[in-house]
Amino acid sequence: MNYLNITKGALIAGIFMISSLSFAQKKVETDAALALQAFEKAQMTGNMEEAKKQLLKAKESVDIAATNPETEKSPKTLFLKGEIYTNMLFLKMLQDAEFNKNVPEDAKDIAVKAYKESYDLSNKYDSDIQNSVNVIKQTLHPLGSAAYESKKFKEAGMIFGVINDYNSVLNQVDTVYIYYQGLSAELDENWAQAAEYYKKCADMNYKPNEIYRATAMAYIRGGQNDKAMEFLKHAIEKAPKDKHLYFALGTIAMEMKDDATVLSNLNKAIEIDPKYSDAYYNLGSYFSGKGFDLRQKAGDLPPNAKKESDELLAKSLEYYGLAMDPLEKYIAIVPKDLEVLNSLVKIARALKNPEKEAKYKQLLDAAKQ
């Protein structure tokens, strides 16, 4: 027996076997691609039964390719897997119970992971993946908006979240959709989730004039006052010259009726930006509101409660005094705000300042014209 010939024969047979296995796996990958093309063609012609059949066939082939060492890290297999599972996710919306049995609960996560791995492994399918992600966003955005307009806030938040999941494939974060998720969660009264999304926006400095307050308010409405204050104080430590942070903390303190914190933080915001009209407005409206409430209480007291009534009126004048200056500075920036001009007329009258009462009455009359 010639040992060398046996060895050569075994080697050739082994090479042939390996080549056959590799060919078989590549064929499975090709089968997935062909079935996906057949699905797309059937879908375009409106033959949804054939489309479902071909998509399930594509899934069967790509699942085999994705579990074999020869092709599991192939950018093509991963791209096809992202395409196939994404299409399954969309077809699931047709509510076909029989088809939906074949759609995994985590189909979206599987699709996103496969797309991302393909995108990171190779540049070969980058443009295809980018196009797919853009189509997904263009498809989902109006669905999310429609759900939001229909007050289906939980559904809207989920759709906006899916958009951002697909954005992550391209290593992108779209703060607009995180903000929409926060809004949806807030309107659904899911305060913890709203705070989480708003905080992400705050960390990326998105809509700073309102996002810090929105984050803190979500914490407060969720019964987490300490988190609200901690969030804002920590943010101020990182950015001590950010007027929006002091504004947010002062505004939150208004909700908590903490006069000292309202004064110190809104005044700090004004110190940073002397033309910060929103800070002047909040400061003035907060204290004028407190003064107005006390005057109403005094007016509701019986005639024999004069001492208590006088005390309430005296305190109301203190609050009006605190309100006058910021409201005057606000109206110097926003001269035609009828509500504020009307308040200034009443405050000046209560403070027995006829000159200012006449001045703001004249400005009010002019602004009405």
Side-chain angles (χ1 to χ4, degrees):
M1 182 181 291
N2 189 323
Y3 178 77
L4 182 59
N5 285 341
I6 293 172
T7 304
K8 282 182 178 177
L11 181 60
I12 290 167
I15 291 170
F16 179 76
M17 185 183 295
I18 291 167
S19 297
S20 297
L21 286 170
S22 179
F23 176 77
Q25 290 311 315
K26 289 294 181 183
K27 183 179 182 304
V28 173
E29 191 180 60
T30 302
D31 287 344
L34 291 172
L36 180 61
Q37 288 174 14
F39 154 75
E40 290 169 348
K41 184 178 178 181
Q43 189 180 41
M44 285 178 68
T45 59
N47 188 347
M48 293 313 297
E49 289 308 311
E50 180 65 15
K52 292 172 193 173
K53 176 184 169 183
Q54 291 299 330
L55 191 59
L56 291 176
K57 187 177 175 182
K59 176 185 180 296
E60 183 180 350
S61 295
V62 86
D63 283 348
I64 294 170
T67 54
N68 189 280
E70 288 286 322
T71 47
E72 65 177 343
K73 292 300 179 185
S74 159
K76 182 178 180 179
T77 290
L78 290 164
F79 166 66
L80 289 169
K81 191 173 183 180
E83 293 277 286
I84 291 162
Y85 274 80
T86 295
N87 279 296
M88 292 189 76
L89 188 67
F90 278 97
L91 254 62
K92 191 177 181 181
M93 296 178 190
L94 298 178
Q95 303 295 323
D96 181 334
E98 194 60 35
F99 175 82
N100 288 355
K101 287 178 185 177
N102 299 286
V103 183
E105 286 296 320
D106 58 346
K108 182 260 296 176
D109 296 333
I110 293 171
V112 167
K113 183 173 182 288
Y115 271 143
K116 185 158 180 56
E117 286 180 1
S118 180
Y119 194 76
D120 292 343
L121 277 171
S122 166
N123 295 330
K124 187 173 181 181
Y125 295 96
D126 281 7
S127 61
D128 295 301
I129 293 170
Q130 288 163 7
N131 287 337
S132 291
V133 169
N134 286 331
V135 168
I136 289 163
K137 287 167 64 175
Q138 288 166 13
T139 303
L140 289 177
H141 179 87
L143 294 178
S145 298
Y148 185 89
E149 292 298 325
S150 301
K151 303 189 186 304
K152 296 176 181 176
F153 301 119
K154 198 182 298 295
E155 181 182 327
M158 182 197 70
I159 293 170
F160 295 137
V162 171
I163 291 174
N164 257 337
D165 289 336
Y166 277 99
N167 272 328
S168 72
V169 168
L170 309 179
N171 301 311
Q172 295 175 353
V173 177
D174 195 331
T175 44
V176 170
Y177 288 109
I178 298 175
Y179 180 66
Y180 289 164
Q181 284 180 277
L183 277 176
S184 300
E186 179 183 335
L187 292 166
D188 194 43
E189 298 187 2
N190 187 336
W191 306 117
Q193 201 173 72
E196 176 191 338
Y197 293 131
Y198 284 148
K199 186 177 183 300
K200 284 182 183 178
C201 291
D203 290 341
M204 290 180 277
N205 205 37
Y206 179 76
K207 288 182 174 284
N209 198 28
E210 59 188 81
I211 203 65
Y212 292 106
R213 182 179 183 276
T215 307
M217 284 304 301
Y219 279 130
I220 287 172
R221 286 171 180 156
Q224 296 178 299
N225 289 9
D226 292 343
K227 274 195 174 183
M229 302 300 277
E230 180 187 348
F231 162 74
L232 288 170
K233 287 175 180 176
H234 181 61
I236 285 171
E237 285 175 8
K238 292 192 295 183
K241 296 296 183 183
D242 189 333
K243 66 179 183 180
H244 303 300
L245 296 175
Y246 295 100
F247 176 79
L249 186 53
T251 305
I252 291 300
M254 289 166 59
E255 301 287 335
M256 301 168 73
K257 304 199 183 305
D258 182 342
D259 293 0
T261 304
V262 171
L263 273 168
S264 61
N265 284 280
L266 290 181
N267 278 327
K268 182 66 179 178
I270 289 164
E271 179 187 320
I272 294 168
D273 180 4
K275 293 185 177 179
Y276 197 176
S277 61
D278 287 344
Y280 287 123
Y281 178 83
N282 277 14
L283 191 56
S285 63
Y286 173 71
F287 285 109
S288 67
K290 293 195 75 157
F292 178 76
D293 288 344
L294 289 181
R295 294 181 84 77
Q296 276 203 318
K297 278 187 181 179
D300 292 338
L301 290 174
N304 60 355
K306 187 174 183 309
K307 182 175 180 295
E308 186 180 351
S309 175
D310 288 345
E311 288 173 355
L312 289 173
L313 289 172
K315 188 65 179 175
S316 79
L317 293 177
E318 286 182 33
Y319 286 135
Y320 276 169
L322 290 170
M324 176 63 87
D325 183 63
L327 288 181
E328 286 188 289
K329 286 177 177 170
Y330 169 82
I331 213 65
I333 301 167
V334 187
K336 294 190 176 181
D337 189 319
L338 297 179
E339 180 188 345
V340 172
L341 285 168
N342 191 47
S343 293
L344 281 167
V345 170
K346 291 178 180 178
I347 291 169
R349 186 182 303 139
L351 292 173
K352 295 183 168 47
N353 189 325
E355 289 181 8
K356 285 190 175 181
E357 181 183 353
K359 173 186 174 181
Y360 292 115
K361 180 70 169 62
Q362 184 178 359
L363 288 174
L364 176 61
D365 291 341
K368 286 179 180 178
Q369 294 175 2

